[in-house]
Amino acid sequence: MVSCGKTDTGKRRDNNQDNIFMSDSPVGPLPNLYIVADGMGGHAAGDFASRYAIEVVVDFIRKSTIRNPISLLRRAMIFANNEVYREAESDEAKGGMGTTMVACVIDGHELFCGNIGDSRLYVVGDDIRQITMDHSLVEELIRNGQLDRNKGRNHPEKNIITRAMGSRNEAVPDFFQISLSEGDSVLLCSDGLSNMVENDEIRDIVCESELPDAAVDALIDRANYYGGTDNISAIVITV
């Protein structure tokens, strides 16, 4: 298994509120760990929220003896939510800050994933599958049949998040477990990529890249080519 991850400020923002973590080697009882977080809440607070949330999750996992990946991700992410919320409540400069997060673990051919907000995980093989479900106003409208998915991409309220880590005292992530096939690639990304590059184009870039680092560079370059309106983060893992 080989991975590469990068984060980029993009072309329209002055600072980068995205943060990533990746380890192909064990982290605590987990065989590996990959995280993308996209912060929100002011010039400095968003960067702090995403960085601090990752630090708390990784530290929690390193100290844990829980071996079930979903149970461990759940406890770590809920604990991080409470810690980010506590920081926001205790410091006026950080008030209202929060962050999205998508995290995954790969054990053999099983992938375990948790997410909150609209940072995504895709599995790329013969096709591309979005495994996570966005916690956003537009996604809720689509699921309720009030909005066509094709129109949702350019909806004026597409960036309104309905769940985020640290935004309130209780925020519940979603969790998924799926089986991977030989040759699959896994992509974790912030919305700075998924909002700018269509899924089919993402699949083509990942499939045509010989190594994860080439795929990550090409994905970021493509998002910037289309305008780079947000920070862009991507982790590609080749199984």
Side-chain angles (χ1 to χ4, degrees):
M1 189 163 61
V2 182
S3 70
C4 179
K6 294 182 181 180
T7 183
D8 186 86
T9 304
K11 291 189 171 184
R12 302 283 184 86
R13 300 294 178 93
D14 295 327
N15 68 320
N16 193 347
Q17 296 186 334
D18 287 5
N19 278 282
I20 66 173
F21 173 89
M22 57 183 182
S23 176
D24 295 331
S25 57
V27 178
L30 299 179
N32 44 65
L33 181 62
Y34 309 92
I35 306 172
V36 169
D38 179 358
M40 61 194 83
H43 188 79
D47 171 65
F48 176 86
S50 60
R51 183 176 67 253
Y52 183 57
I54 289 176
E55 289 173 356
V56 172
V57 166
V58 172
D59 185 64
F60 186 98
I61 290 171
R62 282 179 174 151
K63 294 176 179 177
S64 179
T65 58
I66 301 169
R67 304 200 67 84
N68 181 280
I70 292 293
S71 296
L72 182 47
L73 284 175
R74 177 181 287 110
R75 293 195 186 190
M77 292 176 73
I78 290 174
F79 180 73
N81 173 76
N82 294 337
E83 289 297 294
V84 173
Y85 181 81
R86 181 181 59 79
E87 282 285 331
E89 289 289 287
S90 64
D91 186 346
E92 184 176 345
K94 299 172 184 170
M97 73 176 179
T99 182
T100 71
M101 180 176 286
V102 58
C104 82
V105 178
I106 299 172
D107 190 358
H109 285 282
E110 292 298 304
L111 180 142
F112 306 88
C113 171
N115 85 292
I116 185 165
D118 62 354
S119 290
R120 295 179 177 180
L121 184 143
Y122 295 93
V123 172
V124 182
D126 293 332
D127 57 5
I128 181 168
R129 291 180 289 155
Q130 180 182 334
I131 305 303
T132 54
M133 186 179 297
D134 294 350
H135 300 137
S136 67
L137 176 61
V138 164
E139 184 62 31
E140 288 187 3
L141 293 173
I142 291 170
R143 290 202 301 270
N144 292 334
Q146 297 173 266
L147 181 67
D148 180 81
R149 185 166 296 278
N150 291 329
K151 295 180 180 178
R153 189 174 191 85
N154 298 311
H155 195 280
E157 297 179 334
K158 67 179 181 180
N159 292 322
I160 296 179
I161 306 301
T162 56
R163 274 191 249 175
M165 185 175 285
S167 60
R168 56 181 180 272
N169 199 21
E170 293 183 7
V172 182
D174 289 335
F175 296 92
F176 308 87
Q177 178 179 349
I178 66 164
S179 296
L180 299 173
S181 300
E182 195 73 27
D184 278 347
S185 293
V186 177
L187 168 66
L188 295 82
C189 67
S190 62
D191 67 339
L193 175 65
S194 58
N195 281 344
M196 300 303 296
V197 186
E198 296 281 358
N199 285 3
D200 288 346
E201 193 168 4
I202 290 174
R203 184 196 68 82
D204 290 344
I205 290 171
V206 173
C207 290
E208 291 169 6
S209 302
E210 292 186 6
L211 294 172
D213 57 346
V216 168
D217 286 341
L219 289 168
I220 291 174
D221 287 348
R222 192 62 55 88
N224 277 321
Y225 174 79
Y226 289 137
T229 58
D230 200 353
N231 306 146
I232 309 155
S233 294
I235 298 174
V236 174
I237 312 155
T238 299
V239 182

